Amino acid sequence: MNNEELRLLEEISNSLKAINARQETQELFAESNKLFDRSDARVENATNQIQNTFDRIHDKVFNFNNGLIAAYLLLGSYPSELPILPLWTTVFPVLVMALMIYVDVRQMGIHRFAANEQQWTNAERDSYGAKIDSQTRLSLFSMFLSVCCLAYLVVKLGLA
């Protein structure tokens, strides 16, 4: 073999090494992209699960509050001569229900806002987190008020 053939073989060898390096890099990027895609899918699934859990809890508390309203109405008219509860106290669980409806309406607004996430600015991203935090506190407050209405009912029944 002469020098020209050796030089050509060396160039071919170098080209093959470069092609192999590029192919390995592309394979690594493909694997990384798969990992990121799986991670994104888990994040989206977790977000959906959080929302579903929030909705289920809220539905249960809403139904519980409806039962409280019925109990307040019943005990506000029974016995008819001297009811166990003053009828005007029914206003408390009704106000809690109104607060829960407000929480649900706000939740719809947050979902509408989140639907445009791809057009958000950094300030809007920050405000989204603040909206979620505020919504959580408001929801917990409405649940607390429902428990307070129940406690009042239990105390009044215990005294009756």
Side-chain angles (χ1 to χ4, degrees):
M1 276 202 217
N2 62 25
N3 286 340
E4 183 65 26
E5 290 172 342
L6 285 174
R7 189 185 57 76
L8 281 173
L9 286 174
E10 194 173 305
E11 283 182 28
I12 290 171
S13 175
N14 289 339
S15 294
L16 288 173
K17 287 178 186 175
I19 290 170
N20 283 340
R22 271 188 248 126
Q23 187 174 5
E24 287 175 5
T25 303
Q26 287 174 347
E27 288 172 2
L28 285 173
F29 279 136
E31 286 180 36
S32 296
N33 287 338
K34 285 179 188 176
L35 288 174
F36 282 127
D37 290 345
R38 278 191 237 139
S39 174
D40 289 343
R42 282 192 300 270
V43 166
E44 187 172 336
N45 184 43
T47 303
N48 290 337
Q49 289 297 326
I50 289 169
Q51 183 54 48
N52 290 339
T53 302
F54 178 87
D55 289 341
R56 283 195 333 262
I57 290 171
H58 231 258
D59 287 343
K60 287 175 179 147
V61 174
F62 203 85
N63 289 332
F64 172 74
N65 197 64
N66 287 339
L68 281 176
I69 291 172
Y72 270 70
L73 285 172
L74 176 72
L75 295 173
S77 60
Y78 176 81
S80 56
E81 304 82 39
L82 187 61
I84 296 172
L85 292 175
L87 192 56
W88 67 268
T89 59
T90 306
V91 112
F92 295 124
V94 170
L95 288 175
V96 173
M97 181 176 28
L99 177 63
M100 291 174 150
I101 290 170
Y102 173 70
V103 168
D104 284 344
V105 168
R106 275 183 50 138
Q107 191 67 27
M108 284 188 332
I110 288 172
H111 288 312
R112 279 192 211 107
F113 182 73
N116 297 320
E117 182 179 4
Q118 293 171 346
Q119 288 85 29
W120 285 354
T121 63
N122 285 336
E124 288 172 324
R125 245 175 249 296
D126 292 340
S127 75
Y128 179 69
K131 285 180 184 190
I132 295 293
D133 290 343
S134 170
Q135 184 72 355
T136 301
R137 281 192 294 278
L138 196 57
S139 181
L140 288 173
F141 181 64
S142 69
M143 290 178 202
F144 172 75
L145 290 178
S146 287
V147 169
C148 288
C149 287
L150 175 65
Y152 177 76
L153 185 66
V154 167
V155 166
K156 283 303 233 179
L157 285 174
L159 296 177

